[in-house]
Amino acid sequence: MSVKYILTAFVAALILVSCGKKQEKPVETAPVEETKTEPSIHRLPQYHFTDSVQVGQRTYVYTLHREAVDSLGSVSDEYGDHYVNTFYTLDIKRGASQFYSKRFTKQTLAGKLPADFMKNGILDGFRFFRVDDGKLVFSLCVSYPDSDLSSPFLLTIGPDGSATITKDEFMDVEPDDAP
Protein backbone atom coordinates (compact mmCIF):
# COMPACT_ATOMS: atom_id res chain seq x y z
CA MET A 1 0.00 0.00 0.00
CA SER A 2 1.13 3.36 -0.86
CA VAL A 3 1.28 6.29 1.51
CA LYS A 4 -1.02 8.22 -0.78
CA TYR A 5 -3.69 5.52 -0.48
CA ILE A 6 -3.39 5.40 3.33
CA LEU A 7 -3.68 9.21 3.61
CA THR A 8 -6.74 9.26 1.35
CA ALA A 9 -8.43 6.50 3.39
CA PHE A 10 -7.59 8.31 6.62
CA VAL A 11 -9.07 11.62 5.38
CA ALA A 12 -12.19 9.83 4.14
CA ALA A 13 -12.62 8.16 7.53
CA LEU A 14 -12.30 11.53 9.30
CA ILE A 15 -14.92 13.03 7.02
CA LEU A 16 -17.33 10.16 7.66
CA VAL A 17 -16.84 10.38 11.41
CA SER A 18 -17.28 14.16 11.50
CA CYS A 19 -20.39 14.05 9.30
CA GLY A 20 -22.00 11.22 11.18
CA LYS A 21 -25.13 11.95 13.16
CA LYS A 22 -24.31 12.94 16.70
CA GLN A 23 -26.59 11.85 19.48
CA GLU A 24 -27.74 14.94 21.34
CA LYS A 25 -29.08 14.95 24.83
CA PRO A 26 -32.57 16.41 25.07
CA VAL A 27 -32.55 19.90 26.53
CA GLU A 28 -34.48 20.10 29.75
CA THR A 29 -36.47 23.27 30.25
CA ALA A 30 -37.90 24.41 33.52
CA PRO A 31 -41.41 25.79 33.47
CA VAL A 32 -41.36 29.57 33.27
CA GLU A 33 -43.10 31.20 36.17
CA GLU A 34 -44.89 34.41 35.36
CA THR A 35 -43.56 37.17 37.57
CA LYS A 36 -45.80 40.06 38.38
CA THR A 37 -44.20 43.28 39.41
CA GLU A 38 -45.99 45.42 41.92
CA PRO A 39 -46.74 48.95 40.78
CA SER A 40 -44.26 51.46 42.16
CA ILE A 41 -45.01 54.63 44.08
CA HIS A 42 -42.82 57.53 42.96
CA ARG A 43 -42.19 60.77 44.83
CA LEU A 44 -40.22 63.69 43.47
CA PRO A 45 -37.38 64.41 45.88
CA GLN A 46 -37.68 67.32 48.25
CA TYR A 47 -36.18 70.46 46.75
CA HIS A 48 -35.15 73.76 48.32
CA PHE A 49 -33.58 76.61 46.33
CA THR A 50 -32.81 80.23 47.23
CA ASP A 51 -31.53 82.96 44.93
CA SER A 52 -31.84 86.69 44.44
CA VAL A 53 -32.64 89.05 41.61
CA GLN A 54 -32.11 92.78 41.27
CA VAL A 55 -35.02 94.83 39.95
CA GLY A 56 -34.09 98.49 39.67
CA GLN A 57 -32.71 99.50 43.07
CA ARG A 58 -34.43 96.65 44.94
CA THR A 59 -33.15 93.17 45.67
CA TYR A 60 -35.65 90.34 45.84
CA VAL A 61 -34.63 87.08 47.53
CA TYR A 62 -36.84 84.17 46.54
CA THR A 63 -37.01 80.66 47.92
CA LEU A 64 -38.65 77.73 46.16
CA HIS A 65 -39.47 74.62 48.16
CA ARG A 66 -40.97 71.42 46.69
CA GLU A 67 -42.38 68.46 48.51
CA ALA A 68 -44.37 65.37 47.50
CA VAL A 69 -47.31 64.85 49.88
CA ASP A 70 -49.53 61.79 50.05
CA SER A 71 -52.53 63.86 51.17
CA LEU A 72 -52.56 65.56 47.74
CA GLY A 73 -53.29 62.21 46.11
CA SER A 74 -51.48 60.56 43.24
CA VAL A 75 -51.81 59.87 39.55
CA SER A 76 -51.23 56.57 37.75
CA ASP A 77 -49.55 55.88 34.44
CA GLU A 78 -50.45 53.16 31.92
CA TYR A 79 -48.24 50.66 33.80
CA GLY A 80 -50.02 51.16 37.10
CA ASP A 81 -47.17 53.11 38.69
CA HIS A 82 -48.32 55.87 41.04
CA TYR A 83 -46.83 59.36 41.25
CA VAL A 84 -47.52 61.38 44.37
CA ASN A 85 -48.64 64.97 43.76
CA THR A 86 -46.40 67.79 44.91
CA PHE A 87 -46.65 71.32 46.18
CA TYR A 88 -44.26 74.23 45.77
CA THR A 89 -43.98 77.12 48.18
CA LEU A 90 -42.69 80.41 46.83
CA ASP A 91 -41.46 82.94 49.39
CA ILE A 92 -40.09 86.30 48.27
CA LYS A 93 -38.46 88.92 50.48
CA ARG A 94 -37.87 92.46 49.37
CA GLY A 95 -35.16 93.84 51.57
CA ALA A 96 -35.80 92.56 55.10
CA SER A 97 -39.59 92.25 54.78
CA GLN A 98 -41.81 89.49 53.43
CA PHE A 99 -43.05 90.54 49.98
CA TYR A 100 -44.92 87.47 48.68
CA SER A 101 -45.67 83.97 49.95
CA LYS A 102 -47.90 81.30 48.45
CA ARG A 103 -48.22 77.53 48.27
CA PHE A 104 -48.94 76.15 44.80
CA THR A 105 -50.48 72.79 43.93
CA LYS A 106 -51.95 71.40 40.76
CA GLN A 107 -55.33 72.57 42.09
CA THR A 108 -54.04 76.18 42.07
CA LEU A 109 -54.18 75.91 38.26
CA ALA A 110 -57.53 74.09 38.12
CA GLY A 111 -59.38 76.76 36.13
CA LYS A 112 -56.59 77.04 33.56
CA LEU A 113 -55.35 73.44 33.38
CA PRO A 114 -56.73 71.07 30.72
CA ALA A 115 -58.84 68.28 32.26
CA ASP A 116 -56.46 65.49 31.15
CA PHE A 117 -53.54 67.21 32.92
CA MET A 118 -55.68 67.77 36.00
CA LYS A 119 -56.39 64.05 36.08
CA ASN A 120 -53.02 62.60 34.93
CA GLY A 121 -50.39 65.25 35.66
CA ILE A 122 -48.32 66.41 38.61
CA LEU A 123 -46.89 69.84 39.35
CA ASP A 124 -43.26 69.05 38.67
CA GLY A 125 -41.57 72.28 37.65
CA PHE A 126 -41.23 75.76 39.13
CA ARG A 127 -38.39 78.21 38.54
CA PHE A 128 -37.54 81.86 38.19
CA PHE A 129 -37.78 82.85 34.53
CA ARG A 130 -37.05 86.56 34.08
CA VAL A 131 -37.78 90.14 35.04
CA ASP A 132 -40.27 91.72 32.66
CA ASP A 133 -41.09 95.42 32.92
CA GLY A 134 -40.28 95.50 36.65
CA LYS A 135 -42.24 92.32 37.36
CA LEU A 136 -40.90 88.95 38.52
CA VAL A 137 -41.87 86.12 36.19
CA PHE A 138 -41.73 82.47 37.25
CA SER A 139 -42.49 79.45 35.09
CA LEU A 140 -44.38 76.47 36.44
CA CYS A 141 -45.42 73.29 34.77
CA VAL A 142 -47.81 70.37 35.20
CA SER A 143 -46.62 67.27 33.36
CA TYR A 144 -47.50 63.67 32.81
CA PRO A 145 -44.93 61.84 34.94
CA ASP A 146 -41.82 60.61 33.11
CA SER A 147 -42.92 62.09 29.79
CA ASP A 148 -42.53 65.17 27.61
CA LEU A 149 -46.24 66.03 27.82
CA SER A 150 -46.59 69.22 29.82
CA SER A 151 -48.83 72.19 30.37
CA PRO A 152 -46.69 75.28 31.14
CA PHE A 153 -47.73 78.48 32.92
CA LEU A 154 -46.24 81.82 33.85
CA LEU A 155 -46.67 83.41 37.27
CA THR A 156 -46.16 87.18 37.10
CA ILE A 157 -45.72 89.10 40.34
CA GLY A 158 -46.03 92.89 40.18
CA PRO A 159 -44.13 95.41 42.34
CA ASP A 160 -47.22 95.73 44.56
CA GLY A 161 -47.30 91.95 45.26
CA SER A 162 -50.22 91.24 42.93
CA ALA A 163 -49.95 87.97 41.01
CA THR A 164 -51.41 86.57 37.81
CA ILE A 165 -51.09 83.13 36.28
CA THR A 166 -51.32 82.75 32.51
CA LYS A 167 -50.83 79.89 30.09
CA ASP A 168 -47.30 79.96 28.65
CA GLU A 169 -47.82 79.99 24.89
CA PHE A 170 -44.10 80.29 24.13
CA MET A 171 -42.59 77.65 26.42
CA ASP A 172 -39.44 77.18 24.32
CA VAL A 173 -38.42 80.85 24.50
CA GLU A 174 -35.61 81.44 26.98
CA PRO A 175 -34.31 84.78 28.18
CA ASP A 176 -31.29 86.09 26.30
CA ASP A 177 -28.95 85.50 29.22
CA ALA A 178 -30.08 81.91 29.90
CA PRO A 179 -27.23 79.39 30.16
Side-chain angles (χ1 to χ4, degrees), residues 4-20:
K4 189 176 181 183
Y5 176 75
I6 293 175
L7 275 174
T8 305
F10 180 71
V11 170
L14 278 176
I15 291 173
L16 284 175
V17 170
S18 66
C19 291

Side-chain angles (χ1 to χ4, degrees), residues 36-78:
K36 277 192 167 181
T37 58
E38 292 296 318
S40 299
I41 297 177
H42 303 275
R43 289 175 177 76
L44 289 177
Q46 190 169 331
Y47 173 80
H48 195 82
F49 179 77
T50 300
D51 202 356
S52 64
V53 62
Q54 190 76 25
V55 181
Q57 299 297 317
R58 295 187 165 173
T59 300
Y60 293 84
V61 177
Y62 65 90
T63 300
L64 284 167
H65 175 78
R66 175 184 68 204
E67 206 168 313
V69 181
D70 290 332
S71 64
L72 292 175
S74 64
V75 299
S76 298
D77 66 10
E78 66 270 16

Side-chain angles (χ1 to χ4, degrees), residues 45 65 84 118 144 153:
H65 175 78
V84 175
M118 193 67 188
Y144 278 45
F153 294 90

